[in-house]
Amino acid sequence: MSMYRTTLEQIEKRASLLKKLRPAYEEIIDFYSAIFTAQEASKLELDLEPIIIDPNVIKIKVESGMPLISPYQFTIDFKHAKELFLKLCKIAEGKAPKLKIDAENIISALSKNSLDLDKIFRTTIEKEQKYLKEVGSLLNLNEDALNFFALAAVAPSIQTCSVQLSHYINPNSPSDSLSAKSLSSNGNLEVVWKHGYCPICGSPPQLGFFSQDGEKHLVCSLCMHFWKVSRMGCSLCQNQDKEKHQYFFNEEEKEYRVYLCSSCGKYLKFVDLRELARDFYPPIEQLCTLHLDMQATEQGYSSAV
Ligand SMILES: [Zn+2]
Ligand SMILES: [Zn+2]
């Protein structure tokens, strides 16, 4: 299961709630909630062929701990991704002072037809930075901004494919909205995945969460699929030595916990849904916990992504 289908209204609601709770994040929440809203709206228009995988291949992959596909195998609706790309640049122009100039330059390059967006999308998904670098220096565009907009533009296609693929792993995957309630009632049906990467696409997790029944899950940084992991040990490297693990949290935000593992040197943020008084939308929680990333990094741990 991997669906965080969410209504545009819900994003607005969560965003305004969080802005009140975390005023320091106001500008960033404003910008990203506009991005998420555009992405969710784009999802409704997608025209994607399902990815077909032989059931025998699935069985072998799941049993041997291999992800179902590689990121480059996600089907992308290029037409809608391109429309979204332009929309996202325009949002940045209006709402993200730090990205404004970069967004303007990209929009201008687009209007001159000098960007091969299909290729940019493909190479971004494959983490093939060389092409973006070339385009960046040739057209005098910021490659990080290009990468950001490209990934955000293909996200609706990737997430939609991921939901389709998740039914191969878990036929009981919910295809409706993900709420704390559906999490706890469906969480138990899922098998524990004993690897620190996404069972669908092999990407590292962006964060984890505890469902209502205390089960531990991780959320994929690329396709947003989430999967159940063992409650014990490090979720990333599977080390079971208690001496190597610790966690910290801040008294005023008990819904977040950061796990540190000295075996792999990585940290992972967890959201405890039992302490969360709002709907859970991982990308927003990820954003509002950047101070925790800093705290973990200061202690010498690195991010899983
Ligand atoms: Zn994934
Ligand atoms: Zn570890």
Side-chain angles (χ1 to χ4, degrees):
M1 54 181 174
S2 71
M3 191 58 141
Y4 305 95
R5 185 181 292 163
T6 181
T7 64
L8 308 181
E9 235 171 81
Q10 277 172 326
I11 292 182
E12 283 289 312
K13 226 171 91 190
R14 284 170 203 154
S16 59
L17 208 106
L18 265 163
K19 273 194 287 189
K20 275 188 209 132
L21 283 171
R22 317 220 185 287
Y25 285 106
E26 184 165 351
E27 191 179 284
I28 203 170
I29 294 175
D30 260 343
F31 168 53
Y32 277 94
S33 54
I35 298 267
F36 299 147
T37 304
Q39 288 174 327
E40 292 301 327
S42 171
K43 262 186 204 173
L44 303 175
E45 301 185 328
L46 293 182
D47 184 14
L48 288 168
E49 288 289 322
I51 301 174
I52 308 297
I53 312 177
D54 183 320
N56 292 318
V57 173
I58 304 230
K59 198 166 170 283
I60 294 166
K61 290 208 166 188
V62 171
E63 281 171 7
S64 57
M66 284 162 70
L68 291 191
I69 60 166
S70 286
Y72 73 87
Q73 291 170 296
F74 280 120
T75 316
I76 305 299
D77 179 334
F78 286 101
K79 179 175 166 275
H80 286 104
K82 281 177 195 169
E83 285 174 16
L84 181 59
F85 184 89
L86 178 60
K87 205 177 268 177
L88 299 176
C89 289
K90 287 186 174 162
I91 291 173
E93 238 187 334
K95 285 183 181 283
K98 281 184 191 147
L99 271 173
K100 190 175 189 297
I101 306 278
D102 295 324
E104 278 169 3
N105 292 339
I106 294 172
I107 291 171
S108 151
L110 274 177
S111 68
K112 291 178 202 142
N113 274 330
S114 31
L115 287 183
D116 181 351
L117 279 185
D118 285 18
K119 193 161 177 191
I120 289 176
F121 291 155
R122 277 278 159 229
T123 51
T124 305
I125 298 169
E126 289 163 31
K127 295 200 166 161
E128 177 55 73
Q129 300 299 334
K130 205 172 133 236
Y131 179 67
L132 278 192
K133 231 180 207 119
E134 279 169 21
V135 175
S137 60
L138 190 71
L139 301 172
N140 204 17
L141 300 173
N142 180 334
E143 62 178 272
D144 293 334
L146 270 178
N147 187 58
F148 169 79
F149 291 120
L151 261 188
V154 295
S157 290
I158 289 179
Q159 290 166 18
T160 304
C161 285
S162 170
V163 170
Q164 182 245 319
L165 289 171
S166 70
H167 291 271
Y168 279 124
I169 299 180
N170 177 17
N172 299 312
S173 296
S175 50
D176 56 354
S177 72
L178 175 132
S179 62
K181 199 164 152 265
S182 75
L183 273 178
S184 64
S185 56
N186 287 296
N188 288 331
L189 300 169
E190 245 189 325
V191 185
V192 168
W193 178 250
K194 298 190 186 88
H195 313 277
Y197 47 83
C198 172
I200 301 279
C201 74
S203 301
Q206 62 170 314
L207 85 175
F209 65 88
F210 290 94
S211 54
Q212 295 297 340
D213 48 13
E215 296 287 358
K216 247 169 142 181
H217 296 78
L218 305 185
V219 181
C220 177
S221 55
L222 180 67
C223 76
M224 284 250 277
H225 177 71
F226 67 90
W227 63 95
K228 188 155 107 178
V229 293
S230 164
R231 288 191 214 202
M232 312 300 287
C234 172
S235 308
L236 295 167
C237 73
Q238 318 305 320
N239 180 291
Q240 298 294 321
D241 181 357
K242 280 188 189 142
E243 304 262 294
K244 304 229 184 254
H245 310 136
Q246 45 174 324
Y247 68 87
F248 69 84
F249 63 93
N250 298 329
E251 211 41 64
E252 66 280 10
E253 41 178 30
K254 286 201 171 117
E255 68 271 42
Y256 303 132
R257 253 191 249 177
V258 184
Y259 281 80
L260 310 167
C261 170
S262 63
S263 177
C264 62
K266 296 199 167 121
Y267 72 88
L268 198 55
K269 297 181 289 189
F270 276 80
V271 183
D272 192 341
L273 302 194
R274 295 164 297 187
E275 301 276 347
L276 196 71
R278 56 186 173 271
D279 284 346
F280 178 50
Y281 185 57
I284 288 191
E285 301 300 336
Q286 162 71 8
L287 269 185
C288 293
T289 48
L290 297 178
H291 55 290
L292 297 175
D293 292 275
M294 279 194 240
Q295 283 175 263
T297 314
E298 274 164 17
Q299 294 186 43
Y301 293 87
S302 59
S303 152
V305 183

